[in-house]
Amino acid sequence: GENVEQHPSTLSVQEGDSAVIKCTYSDSASNYFPWYKQELGKGPQLIIDIRSNVGEKKDQRIAVTLNKTAKHFSLHITETQPEDSAVYFCAVTPGNDMRFGAGTRLTVKP
Amino acid sequence: NAGVTQTPKFRILKIGQSMTLQCTQDMNHNYMYWYRQDPGMGLKLIYYSVGAGITDKGEVPNGYNVSRSTTEDFPLRLELAAPSQTSVYFCASSYSTGAGYTFGSGTRLTVV
């Protein structure tokens, strides 16, 4: 089955710094790459996604980059704020379902 | 806009008991999914459905059953609960395979 590796597992940054989370995948058939944010006690929420025909996508302080040749994609958060603290999951869609990375716990220190 | 609604939010089961986790969505999505999330881990797919009357196994289907008689509802059935099924269960839906999922708020299940 599809193997999705996500790094790092934990990330601590100072408020205002940038944070980068990277995922690698194995199935070249995947063509949709979303990122989810999960706050404590809640379900994951889609924050940004990218399709295989695009290399980069931005939404305010959040961006995602995709290197389909190397089979990796990254989440970039700039000017981090304490409310960005959460667990972030990458995902890929090798078929009719979605497979998730193990998650990155981001802590933004005020 | 309710989105995806899961009930109950919490449940404690004794070993060997059975229960059904309810999931309903009001977005007319064809695709629905059940995931489990163990502490500090990612989400593992249990079962999914691409439309009413169609269900398929995911990565970890053993010990579970599902049905999809309507577009809106996708219940997950646990038969003979075991401690290994202690987890948080999330239901999700989407309008297509290449689209983001809308998740419910989860059901925290403890089997003792």
Side-chain angles (χ1 to χ4, degrees):
Chain A
E2 172 64 89
N3 187 32
V4 185
E5 293 191 4
Q6 183 172 344
H7 298 282
S9 57
T10 60
L11 180 58
S12 182
V13 300
Q14 209 65 37
E15 182 178 359
D17 287 350
S18 295
V20 181
I21 304 169
K22 182 177 178 179
C23 281
T24 60
Y25 61 98
S26 57
D27 191 339
S28 57
S30 295
N31 57 15
Y32 175 67
F33 307 91
W35 284 92
Y36 290 84
K37 176 183 181 181
Q38 185 178 28
E39 297 176 330
L40 195 61
K42 297 184 178 180
Q45 184 176 13
L46 179 69
I47 56 171
I48 196 167
D49 55 15
I50 193 168
R51 298 187 187 277
S52 58
N53 57 347
V54 176
E56 183 177 3
K57 183 177 178 180
K58 286 184 179 179
D59 183 2
Q60 300 182 0
R61 297 186 297 107
I62 294 173
V64 55
T65 58
L66 171 66
N67 184 328
K68 208 155 191 284
T69 303
K71 296 182 188 170
H72 65 74
F73 58 111
S74 299
L75 177 70
H76 305 254
I77 306 175
T78 58
E79 301 172 28
T80 53
Q81 301 167 3
E83 51 266 36
D84 294 329
S85 295
V87 179
Y88 292 82
F89 293 97
C90 65
V92 299
T93 51
N96 284 331
D97 61 289
M98 193 173 288
R99 302 298 170 101
F100 289 80
T104 297
R105 181 173 298 279
L106 174 65
T107 304
V108 181
K109 299 177 183 176
Chain B
N1 226 5
V4 178
T5 303
Q6 290 184 240
T7 56
K9 293 192 184 301
F10 304 93
R11 183 72 187 269
I12 298 175
L13 276 183
K14 293 184 177 179
I15 295 172
Q17 287 185 321
S18 301
M19 77 164 293
T20 299
L21 282 67
Q22 301 292 345
C23 176
T24 187
Q25 52 94 7
D26 63 358
M27 297 170 286
N28 203 33
H29 286 171
N30 281 326
Y31 295 79
M32 296 188 75
Y33 314 85
W34 274 105
Y35 287 86
R36 61 176 286 173
Q37 184 177 34
D38 297 326
M41 304 291 285
L43 296 129
K44 295 294 185 184
L45 182 67
I46 305 171
Y47 271 96
Y48 67 100
S49 169
V50 301
I54 306 169
T55 61
D56 275 300
K57 295 178 180 179
E59 301 170 89
V60 290
N62 291 344
Y64 307 94
N65 276 303
V66 293
S67 60
R68 185 92 184 273
S69 57
T70 67
T71 298
E72 296 78 18
D73 301 305
F74 191 39
L76 178 71
R77 177 83 177 162
L78 277 72
E79 305 281 1
L80 299 174
S84 60
Q85 293 177 304
T86 294
S87 191
V88 180
Y89 291 83
F90 289 101
C91 178
S93 72
S94 68
Y95 72 84
S96 78
T97 55
Y101 289 6
T102 299
F103 281 87
S105 56
T107 295
R108 184 174 296 274
L109 175 68
T110 303
V111 182
V112 297

